[in-house]
Amino acid sequence: MTVSTTVSQTALLVELEPVVARNLDRHLSLAKEWFPHEYVPWSEGRTFDGPLGGEAWSPTDSTIPDVARTALIVNLLTEDNLPSYHHEIATLFGRDGAWGTWVHRWTAEEGRHGVAIRDYLTVSRAVDPVALERARMTHMSEGYTNAHGDEVLHSLAYVSFQELATRISHRNTGKATGDPTCEALLARVAADENLHMVFYRNLLAAAFELAPSQAMRAVADVVADFQMPGSGIDGFARKSVAIALAGIYDLRQHRDEVLQPVLRQWDVFNVTGLNADGEAAREQLAAQLEDLDRAASRFEEKRDARAARLAQR
Ligand SMILES: [Fe+2]
Ligand SMILES: [Fe+2]
């Protein structure tokens, strides 16, 4: 194959299928079975108001800091939109063969995350259950659309970064709660997200062998317009600023702990056999990383100045 050949979307799916099969086996050998109910402190629960006549939720029911509550809500609503994600990947990757087996297995694992986090939040009374349910209805009613829905490599690049972003976000949210029970639950969820990341990252690594310029183009495009899957959540901009100010997920983490480790694994700056567009994509990627570095530093300076101001009061 010459470097200027464009591999069709169908050919990419066919060529990558054996890689999917191998990585599916790898995934199944590494994934550990776990049970959401074991992570929830059920005996701390109390009946709520409503048909059963219990006690209404109050903000004082939990000592979890406000920003951790915000992050928990964002993380749960993000997990909640699973039917839309399933639709997107089932449509793109298909429901047959190794691709289909992966799509369903991944969906089943992700389904556990929303169940576990919701059970924990309800039992521990960490967040307002009425507001949470209304937010879920609004968010799921909007649905989620993959920005690169008909492009295999763009979608693989996106999910490689997104699974790692979700891992970091769950981990840091757990720490921010100051609640060892919640931290253990979110660490467990984060371990799943990490395996998902590795699966997709390995697929795109194979795509770099198969169609290096198309893979580079996909990565550059996805880095340039990356949005968290929960960006459609009501009030997401305000919530994500609070989450960034708390250091749960900020631009520096996005660049240094999500983008960079994955890009290093693909060794993007040493890939050979690129055509003109592949080279252009790599240059755009490098510029994008520099821009992100500057923006992250600006944010950190502002955050430090704000912290100093608050400390003076
Ligand atoms: Fe998840
Ligand atoms: Fe995941």
Side-chain angles (χ1 to χ4, degrees), residues 1-8 210-214 272-278:
M1 183 174 58
T2 66
V3 289
S4 57
T5 305
T6 300
V7 184
S8 75
L210 195 70
S213 298
Q214 283 168 261
T272 54
L274 295 179
N275 62 20
D277 186 61

Side-chain angles (χ1 to χ4, degrees), residues 48-67:
F48 285 97
D49 57 337
L52 300 183
E55 291 164 64
W57 179 82
S58 149
T60 57
D61 285 348
S62 166
T63 56
I64 287 183
D66 277 349
V67 69

Side-chain angles (χ1 to χ4, degrees), residues 208 212-221 223 263 266-290:
F208 265 107
S213 298
Q214 283 168 261
M216 193 67 77
R217 170 50 60 201
V219 170
D221 287 353
V223 169
L263 294 172
W266 293 328
D267 201 14
V268 286
F269 293 107
N270 293 308
V271 168
T272 54
L274 295 179
N275 62 20
D277 186 61
E279 289 291 358
R282 178 154 58 190
E283 281 168 30
Q284 285 160 19
L285 179 61
Q288 188 72 32
L289 290 171
E290 280 176 28

Side-chain angles (χ1 to χ4, degrees), residues 120-188:
Y120 168 81
L121 291 180
T122 307
V123 166
S124 68
R125 292 183 170 241
V127 303
D128 179 348
V130 173
L132 178 66
E133 179 61 5
R134 287 179 179 152
R136 187 189 66 80
M137 287 298 293
T138 304
H139 185 51
M140 289 188 74
S141 299
E142 286 291 312
Y144 170 84
T145 311
N146 175 358
H148 302 281
D150 52 358
E151 295 165 299
V152 175
L153 301 189
H154 284 73
S155 298
L156 290 176
Y158 177 77
V159 288
S160 300
F161 296 127
Q162 174 268 317
E163 293 283 2
L164 186 50
T166 313
R167 176 204 187 187
I168 303 270
S169 172
H170 281 309
R171 276 291 278 175
N172 292 340
T173 299
K175 288 181 197 153
T177 63
D179 174 357
T181 308
C182 186
E183 195 173 346
L185 166 63
L186 294 187
R188 187 48 264 191

Side-chain angles (χ1 to χ4, degrees), residues 75 78-79 106 109-114 117 162-163 166 170 189 192-193 196:
N75 291 3
T78 301
E79 298 284 353
W106 174 87
E109 290 186 11
E110 291 290 355
R112 196 179 272 163
H113 300 168
I117 298 171
Q162 174 268 317
E163 293 283 2
T166 313
H170 281 309
V189 172
D192 282 2
E193 311 296 17
H196 297 161

Side-chain angles (χ1 to χ4, degrees), residues 11-46:
L12 286 169
L13 290 173
V14 172
E15 294 283 341
L16 288 174
E17 172 122 32
V19 188
V20 174
R22 274 200 303 281
N23 278 279
L24 181 60
D25 286 346
R26 181 185 183 279
H27 177 84
L28 294 175
S29 74
L30 292 172
K32 288 198 181 67
E33 187 183 32
W34 65 278
F35 299 95
H37 73 274
E38 294 176 353
Y39 287 82
V40 178
W42 298 99
S43 62
E44 291 172 21
R46 277 178 289 136

Side-chain angles (χ1 to χ4, degrees), residues 67 237-253 299-300 303 306:
V67 69
R238 184 171 37 80
K239 289 179 166 73
S240 60
V241 169
I243 287 166
L245 285 172
I248 294 172
Y249 196 90
D250 61 25
L251 262 187
R252 176 62 60 200
Q253 287 155 327
F299 179 79
E300 286 167 327
R303 183 169 61 191
R306 180 177 176 275

